[in-house]
Amino acid sequence: MLFRPFSPRRPGTAGGRRGKRATVCAGVLLASVTGLFSAGALHSAPADAATSPAKTTPSQAVPHTPAESPMPVHPQARTRVTAAVLDLDGTGREPTVHGADTRYDTASIVKVDILAAVMLQAQDARRPLTAQEHAHAEAMIRHSDNASATALWRQIGGAHGLEAANRRLGLTATKGGPGLLWGLTQTTARDQIRLLRAVFDTGPAAHPASPALRADSREYIRTLMTRIEKDQAWGVSAAAGSGWALKNGWLQRTTTGLWDVNSIGQITVKGHRYLVAVLSDGSTSMKGGVALVEGSARDAVRSASGR
């Protein structure tokens, strides 16, 4: 089965297990006026040089910031959220966008894009993924492992490789993060729908020319996105009826304490498949950011389905 029923577990309700996982798992952004690392996943970040400690809970370990690419974080005046939805079983080919379709930092939703780039490069070389690539891909998507994401980010050639792949996938507004800071890739909700179409859209009008990703490559990415760990099964899946496939990303800005929370994926509602992307920033807590994303996903899907 490609999809599985939504399991309504949320961050903050995973109890002691979640507290332990936070040591290696929280999507915390370590930032100061001299350095910034974005990690939307719940695993420890690559460590090169620490600049200043991130705001943490007592159970969280402080990740380190790569010394390259210093980027200050500026306070935000308000919470922002943008949702985009496309009915794959409808007649339209363009998503409906709710909110301003401006760029947001991706955090770990970029891991789907990284994997798509890996698949394209393997296709070009006329080879299957290696055992190590499979291991990194599974850890990166299912467990949101940062070390695996960094390894594959290096392999594809960082931002340059990501953007080269995105041109083939049809993305037009996504800019790769600097250096090793893949979590600081910037994107729009509409562009994330383009990425999701490249993975999920299999209808006769989906690919008028030869698709960039082969059918087996698309199936591999879709399958991993249906097997997300239970404590990460939130976000756009909250709007699902009978099945979902997703990837989430979240990070905390150290200088402001505010949260970026994002979610992308495919859901099924009353037999219709919907691609949904919700991007947000400026939330005062992760719990609040998750609630904002889930509420926005429900509203967008309700509007698209006429419910």
Side-chain angles (χ1 to χ4, degrees), residues 188-214:
T188 65
R190 188 183 297 272
D191 233 24
Q192 287 303 294
I193 295 296
R194 294 185 180 109
L195 173 62
L196 292 171
R197 280 195 64 190
V199 174
F200 289 94
D201 198 347
T202 57
H207 307 287
S210 178
L213 287 168
R214 292 194 316 242

Side-chain angles (χ1 to χ4, degrees), residues 9-76:
R9 292 188 66 169
R10 302 286 191 274
T13 62
R17 176 173 175 266
R18 180 61 182 271
K20 294 176 182 178
R21 294 189 62 82
T23 304
V24 291
C25 292
V28 176
L29 177 68
L30 177 60
S32 70
V33 294
T34 59
L36 175 65
F37 179 72
S38 166
L42 292 185
H43 292 268
S44 58
D48 286 334
T51 56
S52 66
K55 181 180 293 185
T56 62
T57 63
S59 62
Q60 288 177 319
V62 178
H64 294 328
T65 301
E68 57 188 297
S69 301
M71 291 182 66
V73 177
H74 302 290
Q76 302 211 192

Side-chain angles (χ1 to χ4, degrees), residues 234-266:
W234 50 267
V236 299
S237 54
S242 57
W244 53 262
L246 63 82
K247 184 71 190 81
N248 297 322
W250 60 102
L251 58 86
Q252 186 180 27
R253 303 287 182 174
T254 309
T255 58
T256 65
L258 301 178
W259 287 82
D260 299 355
V261 181
N262 305 320
S263 184
I264 62 171
Q266 177 182 276

Side-chain angles (χ1 to χ4, degrees), residues 148-213:
S148 293
T150 298
L152 294 179
W153 177 258
R154 289 180 184 274
Q155 179 176 314
I156 66 172
H160 177 76
L162 186 80
E163 291 167 11
N166 283 346
R167 286 191 289 272
R168 298 168 62 182
L169 296 169
L171 280 69
T172 61
T174 298
K175 180 176 176 58
L180 297 179
L181 307 183
W182 43 261
L184 291 187
T185 295
Q186 291 196 319
T187 193
T188 65
R190 188 183 297 272
D191 233 24
Q192 287 303 294
I193 295 296
R194 294 185 180 109
L195 173 62
L196 292 171
R197 280 195 64 190
V199 174
F200 289 94
D201 198 347
T202 57
H207 307 287
S210 178
L213 287 168

